[in-house]
Amino acid sequence: MLLGAVGFVLLIGYVNVANLLLARASARGREMALRQALGAGRKRLVRQLLTESIVLSLLGCVAGLAMLFCTRGFLLHLVPDSLPRLNDISLNWSILLFALATSTIAGALFGLVPAVQVGRLNLTHTLKAEGRGATGTGEQARTRRILVVTEFALSLVLMIAAGLLLRSFWDVLNEQLGFEPQNVMAVRTWLPVPNDPSTDIYGAPAQEAPFLREILRRSATLPGVEEAAIGDLSSVPLNHTETPAR
């Protein structure tokens, strides 16, 4: 669900960038029409707009990665220590390659629409348009409206999903566990395994029993402890670890 939410945020950002590129292409419509009238080929203009879009996307990717690298320590400080595999969170080459590939694809894909529309400009109509403040062709205006509606739709879906997720999380917090968790502590420990199995002093149940009885006796004598017990991992409620401990 978190990956889906991140995907929706990414799509919203892509749609927003595509809308900005369309608005930028509309503002440059008169320039492109004039260049075509002076002899510039349409394919050359399309390649130029695609190149500009990809370069802008890559610059945004580099800026985002730089911000992430600078704020990595602060962001990790906000993550609870109980998060599984917290120490595995890092910036590696796979993340960098994914970010660069995604930015390149996004720049090419969402820069293609304004590039194609610029390639189909009506030179006479565009050159007669007043000033650089023209809103562009009717096709460009319709495309921008479609992108705005799509962005609002994605934002609405993301907000609804976030609200349902928060409600489910609240219901889980208020769910009866079937036992009283207050003032209960579960400690997980492993017996040491030596490099030489012949020197393992806990290799048999008869050797482990005195050690476990001593742990139980000392635990029961700690200040504030009322009851103490020893069991395997499957006896701990809501425990999902499949690897048994010794």
Side-chain angles (χ1 to χ4, degrees), residues 63-152:
L65 289 175
M67 292 178 60
L68 179 60
F69 182 81
C70 295
T71 59
R72 178 181 56 179
F74 173 74
L75 294 176
L76 290 178
H77 182 71
L78 300 177
V79 179
D81 295 335
S82 58
L83 182 70
R85 303 182 64 181
L86 180 60
N87 295 330
D88 295 340
I89 299 178
S90 61
L91 294 177
N92 49 37
W93 284 108
S94 61
I95 295 176
L96 299 178
L97 292 177
F98 174 79
L100 291 175
T102 305
S103 300
T104 303
I105 294 174
L109 181 62
F110 291 99
L112 184 63
V113 176
V116 171
Q117 289 188 350
V118 167
R120 295 185 298 179
L121 282 176
N122 188 329
L123 300 184
T124 303
H125 174 75
T126 305
L127 290 175
K128 288 182 179 179
E130 296 182 0
R132 297 183 60 186
T135 58
T137 63
E139 182 180 359
Q140 289 176 335
R142 286 193 299 271
T143 305
R144 290 200 301 269
R145 287 195 295 268
I146 291 174
L147 290 175
V148 170
V149 172
T150 303
E151 189 173 355
F152 272 102

Side-chain angles (χ1 to χ4, degrees), residues 161-171:
L164 293 176
L165 182 61
L166 289 175
R167 181 175 179 180
S168 300
F169 181 69
W170 179 258
D171 292 339

Side-chain angles (χ1 to χ4, degrees), residues 18-95:
N19 210 348
L20 292 175
L21 290 176
L22 270 179
R24 182 170 178 267
S26 300
R28 298 180 64 186
R30 188 179 180 84
E31 172 197 342
M32 294 300 169
L34 183 60
R35 293 176 64 176
Q36 289 187 43
L38 294 176
R42 293 189 174 184
K43 292 184 178 179
R44 182 177 180 180
L45 295 178
V46 169
R47 287 197 299 268
Q48 176 188 341
L49 292 175
L50 279 177
T51 302
E52 292 178 357
S53 175
I54 294 175
V55 170
L56 288 175
S57 181
L58 289 178
L59 289 177
C61 174
V62 172
L65 289 175
M67 292 178 60
L68 179 60
F69 182 81
C70 295
T71 59
R72 178 181 56 179
F74 173 74
L75 294 176
L76 290 178
H77 182 71
L78 300 177
V79 179
D81 295 335
S82 58
L83 182 70
R85 303 182 64 181
L86 180 60
N87 295 330
D88 295 340
I89 299 178
S90 61
L91 294 177
N92 49 37
W93 284 108
S94 61
I95 295 176

Side-chain angles (χ1 to χ4, degrees), residues 221-245:
T221 57
L222 291 175
V225 175
E226 297 181 0
E227 297 289 344
I230 292 180
D232 58 8
L233 295 179
S234 60
S235 62
V236 180
L238 305 180
N239 183 74
H240 300 286
T241 304
E242 297 180 358
T243 303

